[in-house]
Amino acid sequence: MASEYLKWKCRDVQRREAAVQTPAEKRKNWWHYHKWHAVIGLTLAVLGVYLVCQALGVGQVRPDYQVAYVGTDALPDAAAAAIESAFAALGEDLNGDGRVVVRLNQYPSAKGIDPGMAASGQVALMADLLECESYFFLLEDPGPFQASYHVLCRLDGSRQEEGPWTAEGTYLPWNQCPSLAGMELSGYSDELPGGTAEGEAVRLVSGLYLARRGFWTEKTAAYPE
């Protein structure tokens, strides 16, 4: 039996009908309680799309040719761009995107810079060689390069199967290659911390050697042999 006190306390209590919300009020109420869930979900979705696009190369410029420069000092950006343009004029559209794109990958030994940066450059070069990214090489000194990495093929396309590994017959000096010597390379002007570096790109590359890699396995990246 309910007490008289409770009967008195609840004497004026009336059943209230549930309020009917408009669609706009429902959306506002949902957003109030779930806005952070929505923000986090949207962020994860955008991140997922970005990672997928990066993995598939969507929106990225895919080079038809990649050339690895291996020397003591890095080439100035403007000089590297001039070399890329000159090589592109000699190539053809391999990936069918309607243009010829050449990427110059630079791997300087950089003896005068921080040892950590030099080590990072060596790791990047090894990754390039393992993934077969660069097919052509611009080398400051082919001998030590071939002795260290064993990737160059001879000019006739044959491969050295065993050591001692030598660069003999695997390269052409820049000035002795008609296609390279005839390139019109524009001058460069790069802003450096100590001032402006200016000069002719052809003077930077005239002492380099051109070589190409050979493939000892089925992995040839995007390049036909």
Side-chain angles (χ1 to χ4, degrees):
M1 175 182 286
S3 67
E4 294 299 322
Y5 171 75
L6 290 177
K7 290 181 180 179
W8 174 82
K9 186 175 182 180
C10 301
R11 65 187 183 282
D12 295 325
V13 174
Q14 298 179 1
R15 182 182 297 275
R16 298 180 61 181
E17 297 295 332
V20 178
Q21 294 182 324
T22 65
E25 290 174 332
K26 290 181 179 179
R27 290 193 296 270
K28 183 178 180 180
N29 185 63
W30 184 92
W31 178 252
H32 176 76
Y33 289 103
H34 299 90
K35 58 184 176 182
W36 291 114
H37 298 82
V39 170
I40 294 173
L42 180 60
T43 301
L44 292 176
V46 172
L47 179 61
V49 171
Y50 171 78
L51 293 177
V52 170
C53 290
Q54 287 291 308
L56 298 178
V58 177
Q60 300 179 16
V61 177
R62 293 166 46 206
D64 298 282
Y65 306 91
Q66 296 195 61
V67 182
Y69 161 74
V70 182
T72 303
D73 300 306
L75 299 174
D77 292 341
I83 294 171
E84 290 175 339
S85 298
F87 269 95
L90 300 174
E92 57 185 67
D93 181 15
L94 297 181
N95 56 28
D97 63 357
R99 53 182 172 174
V100 180
V101 177
V102 175
R103 177 182 297 161
L104 182 68
N105 302 313
Q106 298 203 55
Y107 305 111
S109 58
K111 298 176 181 177
I113 67 172
D114 181 82
M117 295 179 63
S120 177
Q122 290 301 306
V123 171
L125 173 59
M126 286 300 300
D128 184 317
L129 298 177
L130 291 174
E131 294 299 320
C132 301
E133 293 178 350
S134 297
Y135 185 53
F136 297 102
F137 295 91
L138 283 178
L139 305 172
E140 189 175 276
D141 195 344
F145 179 84
Q146 177 70 339
S148 297
Y149 303 111
H150 315 159
V151 297
L152 302 181
C153 69
R154 299 186 181 93
L155 296 177
D156 61 5
S158 62
R159 306 162 178 169
Q160 184 177 347
E161 299 295 343
E162 58 184 19
W165 296 88
T166 173
E168 184 178 356
T170 64
Y171 60 85
L172 278 176
W174 181 285
N175 291 332
Q176 293 182 21
C177 183
S179 298
L180 299 181
M183 285 182 176
E184 294 185 3
L185 298 179
S186 59
Y188 66 88
S189 177
D190 273 6
E191 294 296 329
L192 302 175
T196 302
E198 298 181 346
E200 296 295 327
V202 68
R203 295 185 61 184
L204 296 176
V205 300
S206 59
L208 299 179
Y209 301 87
L210 178 69
R212 70 184 180 97
R213 73 171 301 146
F215 294 101
W216 279 255
T217 66
E218 296 179 356
K219 182 175 178 58
T220 59
Y223 305 107
E225 258 208 48

